Amino acid sequence: MTLTQCSLDVGIQDDYKKFWFTVPGKIVGKGRPRFTTFKVFDKVKNKYVTRVKVYTPQTTVDYEQKIAMCYRKTTSYQSDKALRVKIFAYREIPKSTTKKLRGWLLDKTFLCTVKPDIDNIIKVVLDALNDVAYYDDIQVCELVIIREFAENECLKICLEEIGERKPK
């Protein structure tokens, strides 16, 4: 058993489902919400008032749709059970890296401490799978995330049912 596998497969029932899928390409973390202001005429006050609109950046929306699409290519199953999510974020080594440093990065002499932040990777994945792989990310009870360097950048995600939810 490798360090990454830990002992997280203990206690899984045979009828619980487990899905792996890959999201190829550049990893995009969850972007901060953006704000825009606009004026609108208020008939009650008989004057223009300023309103604020909050929106998610388009790069985040596009990446969330890509994650959902990659999951749908694997299965259309939507879980109603408690879940464990494992996220493996493989960041590509820059082309300008020397062969010596590339070797050190691949054998984990130096760990992956580059953007996007690990919490933003978690947020984009869990939000993308809402109403796709599960009804709400409140179902996620256990979370494992590992970020490391690799030859090709991608996300590998595993969703495992690990138990029943409390009845409403």
Side-chain angles (χ1 to χ4, degrees):
M1 182 180 317
T2 67
L3 178 66
T4 334
Q5 289 172 326
C6 305
S7 59
L8 294 176
D9 289 331
V10 176
I12 302 294
Q13 292 183 10
D14 291 337
D15 60 335
Y16 286 167
K17 298 189 178 355
K18 178 178 182 177
F19 299 103
W20 279 96
F21 68 100
T22 302
V23 182
K26 185 178 181 313
I27 298 170
V28 177
K30 182 81 171 187
R32 295 190 184 280
R34 304 287 187 233
F35 303 90
T36 186
T37 59
F38 59 96
K39 298 219 182 258
V40 71
F41 188 75
D42 188 334
K43 292 178 183 176
V44 175
K45 295 180 181 178
N46 200 26
K47 65 178 183 175
Y48 281 95
V49 292
T50 303
R51 299 277 187 240
V52 177
K53 179 182 176 188
V54 181
Y55 65 95
T56 303
Q58 191 60 46
T59 53
T60 300
V61 171
D62 293 344
Y63 196 63
E64 286 177 348
Q65 290 172 348
K66 182 178 181 179
I67 293 169
M69 181 191 67
C70 291
Y71 177 79
R72 285 188 188 110
K73 283 182 182 176
T74 305
T75 183
S76 62
Y77 181 74
Q78 190 172 21
S79 178
D80 62 349
K81 304 213 179 337
L83 299 169
R84 173 184 304 128
V85 177
K86 297 178 190 175
I87 303 168
F88 298 87
Y90 297 108
R91 293 300 317 270
E92 187 173 25
I93 300 169
K95 303 284 186 233
S96 61
T97 306
T98 65
K99 285 184 181 179
K100 188 174 184 179
L101 180 55
R102 178 178 291 278
W104 286 339
L105 294 174
L106 289 174
D107 71 9
K108 298 172 189 51
T109 301
F110 298 110
L111 299 178
C112 184
T113 55
V114 296
K115 297 267 184 184
D117 296 352
I118 229 167
D119 59 320
N120 291 326
I121 296 171
I122 292 168
K123 285 185 254 184
V124 78
V125 169
L126 295 184
D127 288 351
L129 296 174
N130 265 339
D131 282 328
V132 177
Y134 40 78
Y135 295 99
D136 192 78
D137 54 10
I138 197 169
Q139 292 172 242
V140 177
C141 298
E142 295 180 13
L143 178 67
V144 175
I145 181 161
I146 296 172
R147 181 178 56 189
E148 52 191 35
F149 285 109
E151 292 294 340
N152 297 311
E153 190 159 340
C154 69
L155 280 179
K156 292 192 179 185
I157 301 166
C158 176
L159 297 171
E160 298 174 83
E161 295 179 335
I162 57 172
E164 299 296 326
R165 294 179 62 205
K166 181 185 83 143
K168 292 182 181 182

